[in-house]
Every structure is written in C-alpha cells, then in structure tokens.
Amino acid sequence: MKSTIARLIRFCFRLRHGITLSNSVFEAMVRRVNDLAETVSTLTDADLCNRFDVVRQKVKTGVDVESVAVEAFALIREAASRTLSMRPYHVQMLAAFAMLQGKCVEMQTGEGKTLAAAVAVCSNNNWGFQNCTVKSKCTCWLDSIWLCRPKSC
C-alpha cells in the first residue's frame, strides 16, 4: 500500500513539473530520429555535410528550429557515430531534445551527459546560437579533447 501511494505521489510531482508530459513529446521525436537512421546511415560523408547544410539554410530562411530538429539530430547522431565511434543512445537523444528546448536535464553518472550535450550544442551552434554552461574548467578541457577530433565538413 505504501509503495502504491509513494508511486502516485511521485507521479503527481513529476506531472506537476512537466517531466512526464514533456518526455512523451521527446520520445516521439526520438522515434522519428530512429526512423531516419537507416536512410542517413547510407549517406556518404559529403552527402551528410550537404544535408546538414540544407537544414542550416532552412533555419536561416526562417523555418522553425524544432521543425527541422529531428532531421538535424539524425544527421548529428550519424556524424558522431562515424567520427567518435560512439552513437548517442535513446536517453542521450531525449536529453539533447530537452536541452534544445532550454530545459534543465539531470542525468546519472555514466549516462553520457557529454555526448548528449554535444548533440544539442552542435545543433545550436550550427544554427547560429552559441550557448553552453560549463561547471568545471577541467571537465571542459577533457571533453574538448575527447570531442574535438579534427574532421571537417
């Protein structure tokens, strides 16, 4: 009985703060990214860069960022897979979509905060927005070494 009441209280708390509701929206977006994965994986590196340039141009012409975010995230996920040999997982894509909308994201140790943030920052930076908050200079330095392997589009 206690566990049922505790779960109900937790659910109401999460519902009140928008966690459960917003995750369902992000889940749908991640499913759409997953649907594009097969198509994007067949692209060459040059085609991948060209497709991202098309997405970038759409945003510059006034198309809403969130409407092209799914395609951009699919392209970024594939680029991360090719350049870093690390494919962002489902939970990392959820976090990236939340960060893209300006939400605060909390992840446990080992869940891939750096890779999730890299997806969101990469999309924001390529659309002309530059924002990133860093807690530790040491972490920032280590993450930049890990993520900034030179490979240009």
Side-chain angles (χ1 to χ4, degrees):
M1 183 72 173
K2 275 186 178 180
S3 64
T4 305
I5 292 172
R7 278 190 301 220
L8 182 62
I9 290 171
R10 259 186 268 129
F11 175 76
C12 290
F13 176 80
R14 293 181 72 175
L15 191 62
R16 177 165 171 15
H17 294 285
I19 296 169
T20 303
L21 294 176
S22 63
N23 277 357
S24 62
V25 173
F26 300 143
E27 288 279 350
M29 294 172 91
V30 172
R31 278 194 297 275
R32 290 174 43 210
V33 168
N34 291 337
D35 293 341
L36 290 173
E38 188 176 325
T39 306
V40 171
S41 67
T42 61
L43 298 173
T44 64
D45 287 349
D47 291 338
L48 199 66
C49 291
N50 291 337
R51 286 269 302 264
F52 200 78
D53 285 338
V54 169
V55 171
R56 186 181 299 135
Q57 289 305 318
K58 285 181 185 177
V59 172
K60 285 184 180 179
T61 59
V63 175
D64 185 33
V65 170
E66 292 184 18
S67 65
V68 293
V70 172
E71 183 179 3
F73 275 37
L75 295 169
I76 293 167
R77 179 189 242 181
E78 183 62 27
S81 178
R82 292 180 189 186
T83 58
L84 302 173
S85 300
M86 300 185 92
R87 182 177 182 270
Y89 291 113
H90 185 84
V91 69
Q92 293 163 329
M93 296 304 285
L94 283 173
F97 275 116
M99 286 183 232
L100 183 67
Q101 291 189 356
K103 301 207 182 299
C104 182
V105 175
E106 181 180 1
M107 297 174 75
Q108 297 295 320
T109 301
E111 280 191 301
K113 294 178 282 296
T114 301
L115 193 55
V119 172
V121 168
C122 180
S123 63
N124 273 341
N125 190 27
N126 281 305
W127 294 327
F129 310 121
Q130 296 179 354
N131 57 350
C132 184
T133 302
V134 179
K135 184 177 178 182
S136 160
K137 285 183 181 179
C138 180
T139 303
C140 179
W141 179 75
L142 290 172
D143 289 347
S144 69
I145 290 172
W146 176 62
L147 289 173
C148 296
R149 298 180 187 158
K151 183 166 184 168
S152 62
C153 283

